[in-house]
Amino acid sequence: MSVLEIIPWIVASAVLLSVVWIVLVSWRNGISPMPTSKSVRLAVAAEVNRTLGYGNIIEAGSGWGTLGLDVIRHCPGKRLTGIENSSLPLWFSQLLTVLITHLLPAAVSRESLRNRVYFKRGDIYKYSYGDADIVLSYLFPGAMKRLAEKFKQELPPGAVVISVCFALPGRQPIRTITCKDRLRTKVYVYAY
Ligand SMILES: C[S@@+](CC[C@H](N)C(=O)[O-])C[C@H]1O[C@@H](n2cnc3c(N)ncnc32)[C@H](O)[C@@H]1O
């Protein structure tokens, strides 16, 4: 077998291993790194913009980084830290950030994004939300149940939680937005 014949096998194995890896981590987490749609991302950005001025955003489970990057593009003055424990989506989000902030033309306002968005490895159940002004999430009911208690104990007064699809148990949202996507996705907003 020649080197040229081996390359497709190596690529196919790498793709297969990546898929298996993502599936295994998703199984452990209880959720896959499914990204939000564009209309949901814009609805979340509009909610973030209701908090005026500077703000520290924590995205609990940042996946491929598309929500975080869109929010930071549409929300001047905000800084976002994405927390993710699935390696492949995390590396993709970090690569996308480098591409957008360093390589793409100024037309996508790379200067305004630089140093305002950061994706890092972490566990959303161990991370401290004590300095968050806004928390973003798109998780699942079990995760919201675990985070509800943590948010109650750690979030500073005035902080806002914006959750895509899933409500925080035992707490009344101050607003519920129905997005214009095909699934009419709901976004829940909570004030602390
Ligand atoms: C449905 S995705 C949402 C991704 C992103 N927020 C978005 O809206 O595009 C949920 C993400 O949470 C991550 N996640 C789940 N449990 C986690 C944990 N304990 N620590 C860190 N990330 C976690 C998953 O790996 C997944 O990428």
Side-chain angles (χ1 to χ4, degrees), residues 90-161:
L90 175 67
W91 294 335
F92 181 90
S93 66
Q94 291 168 336
L95 181 66
L96 200 59
T97 307
V98 171
L99 287 176
I100 289 178
T101 56
H102 291 86
L103 302 181
L104 292 183
V108 291
S109 62
R110 61 176 184 221
E111 284 308 325
S112 73
L113 295 181
R114 204 168 280 181
N115 300 325
R116 291 204 297 123
V117 56
Y118 178 53
F119 296 103
K120 68 178 187 183
R121 181 177 300 279
D123 183 342
I124 57 171
Y125 306 118
K126 293 189 181 144
Y127 192 80
S128 166
Y129 297 89
D131 63 352
D133 299 303
I134 300 172
V135 178
L136 307 183
S137 68
Y138 172 25
L139 294 161
F140 62 101
M144 298 315 286
K145 195 172 169 197
R146 282 178 80 174
L147 288 176
E149 195 50 41
K150 201 166 159 57
F151 289 163
K152 203 163 126 189
Q153 285 170 13
E154 295 179 8
L155 281 176
V160 170
V161 173

Side-chain angles (χ1 to χ4, degrees), residues 4 8 16-18 26 29 34 41 46 58 71 76-77 84 93 97 110 112 114 132 143 149 151 153 157 161 163 178:
L4 277 181
L16 188 67
L17 273 177
S18 304
S26 302
N29 277 342
M34 164 103 122
R41 297 200 293 271
I58 307 297
V71 163
E84 178 56 58
S93 66
T97 307
R110 61 176 184 221
S112 73
R114 204 168 280 181
E149 195 50 41
F151 289 163
Q153 285 170 13
V161 173
S163 175
T178 304

